[in-house]
Amino acid sequence: MRIKPISERAAQSLAVEISARTARETPLGKILAQCKQTFYLVVVLTYLLEFLSLAPMLYLLNVYDRVLSSRSGITLVSLTLIIVAVYVFWGALEWIRQRLMVRLSLRIDWDVGPDVFDASFRSHALRKNVDVHQLLGDLMDLRQFFTGAPLLALIKAPWAVVFVAIGWLFHPYLAIFAAVASVLILFFTYMTLKVSGPILRESQQAKSQANSVAASSLRHAETTLAMGMLGAVRDRWYSQHSHFLTKQVYASEASGLMGGFTGFISRAMPSLQIGLGVYLAMQGLITGGMIIVSSMLVSKAMGPFNDLLSNWRSIATARQAYDRVNALLLEDEVYQSQMQLPLPKGALVVSDLVGLPPGAKKPVLNDINFNLDAGQVMAVVGPSAAGKSSLVKLLLGLWAPAAGSVRLDGVELCDWSHDEVGPHVGYVPQEIEFFEGTVAENIARLGPVDSEKVVQAAELIGMHSTILGFPEGYDTPLGESGFALSGGQRQRLAIARAVYGAPKYVVMDEPNSNLDDAGEAALVQTISKLKEMGSTVVLTTHRPRLVGAVDMMLVLQAGKQVGFGPAKSILDAVRQQQAGTAAAGRNLAAVAVAPAPGPVLTSAGGAA
């Protein structure tokens, strides 16, 4: 799958595209469409509960206007029993509604959670600028939105009109007063969202960046402490954190200012409504019970908008989470719609390859061309910064080519599902990390542990007896809190993980950088056995011992291919270069002139 670096402008364009689509066309929209019956039932129950909220008003109205005037104890008892029954029914409906909302939120998490994890993980691996923690937190925000007050505040908002209409039945003045109060609350709610919404988004972005800096610093904690870099690291984190705090303060101040006006209206309007009701009662236009009920009506009319104001931050956060998750899943749609392909055999063809790291503008590799038959072994050599590790990422499909192609059995590797081809690919990175789990689980790539295959992989790299010497053998825990391994042991275990299951395509980036002579000899034997099994192997190295065990050799210099061919031919050409350079140096030294630059290997493997 081609996942290219996404700029802020591109992210905004993608958000616009999501907004332009109908709700059912987005990944989350499709899930919500499948749950529409549950959602409609929640809406019906909410409206029924809002209707039941009229019961206390009717109870007060009858008590004040009928019971007090008639002095009837039977009427009072009857009304009280009815209102208690209504409250019991009310509580039962709220319990049912809450259960439906919880199941609705869990349905979203169950259906979307694995896809969000996979997509965010892939995007982070390919782009490095994706906050996986934030995306997974977005799922939590969405689940909380569907289980709590924010969703109910949106559903109950239309009932403000209903309460205003009921006030009209008492007297038009009461309805007009309640409508004005509701409009004022709505206006200040809108202004709060308008003013503080953008600031809140910037605050969330700053928080995400600060968390990213902190997480990155923890990965280098030992180096930071050992070299006295804690102060510099802290300053970097705090500059981002202070930016987040500043934006958060601005958002809080903006919402606090608008909230002050809203609070004034919320407190003043019920009292003013009572004053208006008393005036109307003095004129004989309404009864005494209507005075109390009218104050409750204006509170109920403003209630939905007060709820919106108190939950606006959660609603805005859920909206942003909805857009981010949809953008992520839409970007990942192509990956999930791929057709399953046959298992790889190992034929590798690289044509006119141009490598551009994610987020970079200048290519690090240009015009790379070579091909390997299944079962061939190739070494990639060259000085530091020649582009060897970048080529490894392209050969694994972790980076998409800026131009050209990397095809395994005719399939573009970056477009091939890693879930499908990954079990048949082995990879040894330069920076080796192990997951929390046992030695056996790590060798088995955290999948079901096949004891026979685990032992075979360990024996292939000559690690079996060493593992048996660990405190708990193959059950020894690894990871940050696990057994401490030496550099050589880590590298050999990483090779065992790479060759687990006899993959048909193995890529190793400096696999012998931490190996001693015995480990290097075991690696040479492993390469030979992989070749016998028909596996295609590509490795980067500086060691001559590994060069002697390969069939083909690719020479890189400053991101360009300066030689490719049989290893023996390339080595002979290099020796001729070195001999010619040494002879030229001796001749030039006699006249005290600096030596000229050496010849460059041609693509045929000879010297130019």
Side-chain angles (χ1 to χ4, degrees):
M1 183 188 79
R2 295 176 182 265
I3 295 184
K4 297 180 180 179
I6 182 168
S7 62
E8 183 178 354
R9 180 177 298 177
Q12 293 174 353
S13 300
L14 188 56
V16 171
E17 178 186 347
I18 293 170
S19 300
R21 291 191 177 199
T22 61
R24 294 189 179 187
E25 290 180 344
T26 59
L28 282 175
K30 293 176 183 177
I31 300 297
L32 292 177
Q34 295 172 7
C35 302
K36 64 180 180 180
Q37 292 181 345
T38 303
F39 181 76
Y40 289 157
L41 186 55
V42 169
V43 172
V44 169
L45 289 175
T46 301
Y47 286 175
L48 182 57
L49 287 167
E50 288 298 299
F51 178 76
L52 290 177
S53 68
L54 297 174
M57 302 180 194
L58 295 175
Y59 177 76
L60 288 175
L61 184 63
N62 282 279
V63 166
Y64 276 96
D65 290 347
R66 293 185 180 182
V67 175
L68 286 179
S69 60
S70 65
R71 305 283 181 173
S72 174
I74 295 177
T75 303
L76 178 61
V77 171
S78 301
L79 290 173
T80 303
L81 291 176
I82 291 173
I83 195 64
V84 169
V86 169
Y87 287 150
V88 172
F89 183 55
W90 191 337
L93 291 182
E94 283 189 330
W95 176 73
I96 294 173
R97 183 183 64 180
Q98 185 62 30
R99 287 176 63 87
L100 288 173
M101 294 175 67
V102 169
R103 277 156 177 74
L104 178 62
S105 67
L106 290 178
R107 169 69 186 277
I108 294 173
D109 204 320
W110 286 337
D111 287 359
V112 180
D115 292 336
V116 171
F117 182 88
D118 292 348
S120 59
F121 195 91
R122 279 191 289 265
S123 297
H124 177 76
L126 301 175
R127 279 207 309 258
K128 301 295 185 184
N129 63 341
V130 175
D131 190 342
V132 179
H133 299 288
Q134 183 187 54
L135 289 168
L136 295 179
D138 287 339
L139 278 179
M140 177 70 73
D141 292 335
L142 287 173
R143 189 168 67 245
Q144 290 177 345
F145 172 78
F146 282 104
T147 55
L151 178 61
L152 294 179
L154 292 173
I155 295 175
K156 291 189 294 185
W159 269 83
V161 179
V162 176
F163 292 120
V164 171
I166 293 174
W168 188 275
L169 297 177
F170 293 165
H171 195 277
Y173 287 175
L174 297 177
I176 293 172
F177 189 90
V180 170
S182 299
V183 169
L184 288 175
I185 287 289
L186 181 61
F187 170 75
F188 285 113
T189 300
Y190 170 77
M191 290 302 298
T192 300
L193 296 174
K194 186 73 174 178
V195 173
S196 57
I199 304 175
L200 180 62
R201 283 193 293 272
E202 293 179 9
S203 172
Q204 292 294 329
Q205 292 174 358
K207 179 183 178 181
S208 175
Q209 293 173 358
N211 291 340
S212 178
V213 171
S216 176
S217 303
L218 289 175
R219 288 195 295 269
H220 307 286
E222 293 181 356
T223 303
T224 300
L225 290 177
M227 300 180 67
M229 298 167 59
L230 181 59
V233 169
R234 181 194 62 238
D235 292 341
R236 285 195 170 199
W237 165 78
Y238 195 74
S239 67
Q240 293 290 343
H241 184 66
S242 60
H243 183 57
F244 154 66
L245 291 177
T246 301
K247 294 296 181 181
Q248 191 179 52
V249 168
Y250 289 162
S252 298
E253 289 179 347
S255 61
L257 177 62
M258 297 300 171
F261 290 110
T262 306
F264 166 75
I265 294 172
S266 299
R267 288 186 291 269
M269 287 303 175
S271 299
L272 294 177
Q273 182 83 327
I274 291 178
L276 177 60
V278 170
Y279 171 78
L280 294 174
M282 290 169 59
Q283 301 297 319
L285 299 176
I286 62 174
T287 65
M290 292 180 182
I291 297 174
I292 304 300
V293 173
S294 64
S295 67
M296 298 177 66
L297 279 174
V298 73
S299 297
K300 293 293 291 184
M302 294 189 302
F305 302 118
N306 280 325
D307 291 341
L308 284 176
L309 180 61
S310 60
N311 292 286
W312 71 266
R313 181 169 295 183
S314 298
I315 295 172
T317 300
R319 176 62 187 180
Q320 294 167 18
Y322 182 86
D323 287 341
R324 280 194 296 265
V325 170
N326 269 325
L328 177 73
L329 295 179
L330 284 173
E331 189 181 0
D332 201 55
E333 261 183 356
V334 177
Y335 189 92
Q336 299 188 31
S337 61
Q338 292 172 340
M339 184 184 72
Q340 188 171 1
L341 298 173
L343 300 181
K345 297 179 181 179
L348 181 66
V349 178
V350 176
S351 304
D352 302 323
L353 179 63
V354 177
L356 185 70
K361 297 181 179 179
K362 183 178 179 181
V364 294
L365 289 169
N366 279 292
D367 197 25
I368 308 298
N369 291 274
F370 66 87
N371 62 280
L372 296 175
D373 296 329
Q376 283 191 311
V377 181
M378 183 184 78
V380 182
V381 298
S384 298
K388 299 187 296 296
S389 294
S390 297
L391 178 62
V392 164
K393 291 180 173 59
L394 288 160
L395 294 181
L396 289 166
L398 298 177
W399 291 358
S405 63
V406 178
R407 296 184 178 274
L408 185 65
D409 293 343
V411 183
E412 185 70 47
L413 255 174
C414 66
D415 293 333
W416 201 338
S417 169
H418 290 283
D419 294 335
E420 181 183 337
V421 72
H424 309 284
V425 173
Y427 174 42
V428 181
Q430 281 193 22
E431 298 180 3
I432 297 169
E433 298 291 340
F434 293 107
F435 296 95
E436 295 291 334
T438 65
V439 171
E441 289 171 340
N442 273 275
I443 293 177
R445 307 183 181 188
L446 299 185
V449 176
D450 187 323
S451 301
E452 183 177 351
K453 290 183 179 180
V454 169
V455 173
Q456 286 177 354
E459 289 179 337
L460 197 62
I461 190 60
M463 195 67 180
H464 178 62
S465 59
T466 303
I467 294 175
L468 293 179
F470 288 170
E472 299 178 50
Y474 282 92
D475 294 324
T476 301
L478 298 180
E480 293 184 2
S481 59
F483 181 64
L485 300 171
S486 67
Q489 289 173 335
R490 296 177 69 84
Q491 198 151 39
R492 292 171 76 176
L493 273 180
I495 296 171
R497 179 177 61 188
V499 302
Y500 175 79
K504 289 296 183 181
Y505 180 50
V506 181
V507 180
M508 306 182 187
D509 195 1
E510 297 288 350
N512 57 342
S513 58
N514 291 312
L515 298 183
D516 54 16
D517 291 340
E520 200 168 53
L523 177 58
V524 172
Q525 292 180 0
T526 300
I527 294 172
S528 300
K529 291 178 182 177
L530 288 172
K531 182 179 178 181
E532 292 174 2
M533 292 186 295
S535 300
T536 303
V537 181
V538 178
L539 55 93
T540 66
T541 184
H542 292 95
R543 303 280 186 90
R545 186 169 188 173
L546 288 187
V547 170
V550 305
D551 303 312
M552 309 296 287
M553 185 179 295
L554 175 68
V555 183
L556 298 179
Q557 185 173 352
K560 295 183 179 180
Q561 177 177 326
V562 296
F564 172 72
K568 186 176 183 303
S569 300
I570 296 292
L571 289 174
D572 290 342
V574 171
R575 294 189 186 100
Q576 291 175 8
Q577 271 190 327
Q578 293 174 343
T581 303
R586 287 193 296 270
N587 293 334
L588 292 172
V591 292
V593 177
V600 178
L601 292 173
T602 65
S603 60

